[in-house]
Amino acid sequence: MTKNISKFLNIFFLILMTILYVNKAEAAIETFVINKYSESFIPGQNKDAILNVEMIAVTSDEGMIYIPINIEKSEIISTFVNEKKFDAEKIKMGGVSYFLIKTKSPNLKVNVKAEIACKNFYAVKNDNPATGIPKSLMEYKFINKSLNKIDSYNLTIALPDGMEPISVITPKNVTKYTLSENEKGQRTLSLKSRVAISESSIFKFTYGVPFTNKAMIKILMWIFIIGVSILVLKDRIKGGK
């Protein structure tokens, strides 16, 4: 009997501590502020991606930092706060997931850097449009899960080696995004915006293997060969007459 009571009390206190911890984390996020948030995706192994996050924020009253999770299958590789390495843990509050960093510095403006592994980020839907050129459809949505407006949000997505952007679907305004190239020679698409509380920033585009000069040369050669063949055939027909 005594053993059962002791077991019950242990379970009760464990549940109570969990509830108190979650409540503390939920209360702390109300005083956490993100001023600037940048994300950069680069291809990793297979279809995976490495996400580099840079954030300027103000820690909560409890000294906590929250990195929103927008890719479900993601794991922290490393996190730094003001150039000092910290551990991070994955938590869930009210159905919203974060990587939580606990510091001992409340209400402090900090520079946060994180490297995150994202599973199957490039495992996107393939499409074969009327042109016959295969393309991949990429759509990434960043949701502002903080309790303040993010005045500066930046997103960069690098394409796999040898790929080129074909069309940008969202945003439609061409001034909202830029095309460039990173140090690895991979094509990149970048987006800048502001994101209100609970609002989202969506980047949707297609990419695929470029229509290269080599391919054009092959097509022109075939056109030339077919053209010559038709002329030869016409001459033979005329000669037969």
Side-chain angles (χ1 to χ4, degrees):
M1 182 72 176
T2 306
K3 188 181 287 185
N4 289 336
I5 293 172
S6 177
K7 186 177 180 180
F8 171 79
L9 288 174
N10 286 336
I11 293 171
F12 173 77
F13 281 118
L14 181 62
I15 293 171
L16 181 62
M17 290 301 293
T18 302
I19 292 171
L20 289 174
Y21 176 78
V22 170
N23 287 340
K24 184 179 179 182
E26 286 180 346
I29 199 171
E30 293 180 3
T31 57
F32 172 68
V33 178
I34 298 175
N35 296 321
K36 184 177 181 180
Y37 197 89
S38 299
E39 297 182 296
S40 178
F41 290 91
I42 58 173
Q45 293 184 342
N46 300 320
K47 300 290 185 179
D48 300 345
I50 300 297
L51 167 60
N52 290 293
V53 171
E54 289 193 29
M55 172 171 58
I56 295 175
V58 178
T59 59
S60 72
D61 290 346
E62 302 290 338
M64 295 186 182
I65 297 168
Y66 300 81
I67 301 175
I69 298 175
N70 287 291
I71 303 293
E72 185 179 348
K73 295 180 179 179
S74 58
E75 298 294 334
I76 279 285
I77 299 172
S78 63
T79 49
F80 292 85
V81 179
N82 291 342
E83 305 298 330
K84 183 180 178 182
K85 192 169 184 178
F86 279 81
D87 291 328
E89 61 178 302
K90 188 182 283 188
I91 63 166
K92 199 166 190 175
M93 299 185 302
V96 180
S97 299
Y98 302 90
F99 288 117
L100 174 66
I101 304 171
K102 291 182 278 186
T103 76
K104 295 179 180 179
S105 305
N107 308 121
L108 178 69
K109 190 174 182 179
V110 290
N111 191 323
V112 182
K113 292 182 180 181
E115 190 176 31
I116 302 168
C118 301
K119 191 75 175 173
N120 292 329
F121 180 77
Y122 290 97
V124 296
K125 181 182 178 182
N126 291 320
D127 188 22
N128 193 13
T131 59
I133 303 172
K135 62 181 181 181
S136 299
L137 177 63
M138 169 70 74
E139 181 174 5
Y140 177 67
K141 180 189 289 187
F142 171 82
I143 303 172
N144 181 8
K145 299 174 182 179
S146 67
L147 299 181
N148 69 283
K149 178 183 177 181
I150 300 176
D151 287 324
S152 177
Y153 170 71
N154 299 305
L155 168 66
T156 298
I157 300 177
L159 302 182
D161 291 338
M163 296 292 179
E164 291 282 344
I166 295 175
S167 63
V168 175
I169 301 164
T170 306
K172 295 187 182 298
N173 187 343
V174 294
T175 64
K176 298 287 186 181
Y177 62 88
T178 56
L179 306 178
S180 189
E181 190 174 286
N182 63 17
E183 62 278 2
K184 294 183 178 179
Q186 296 165 330
R187 296 290 284 171
T188 62
L189 294 96
S190 300
L191 173 72
K192 292 183 179 181
S193 62
R194 294 178 179 178
V195 191
I197 301 169
S198 299
E199 293 296 317
S200 61
S201 176
I202 300 173
F203 205 9
K204 187 176 181 181
F205 59 88
T206 60
Y207 66 91
V209 178
F211 194 65
T212 62
N213 291 333
K214 198 172 181 180
M216 180 61 78
I217 290 169
K218 284 184 179 179
I219 291 171
L220 291 174
M221 283 180 64
W222 276 107
I223 291 173
F224 176 75
I225 291 168
I226 293 169
V228 170
S229 299
I230 291 171
L231 289 173
V232 170
L233 184 61
K234 281 183 177 179
D235 287 340
R236 285 182 179 176
I237 293 170
K238 285 179 180 178
K241 291 181 180 179

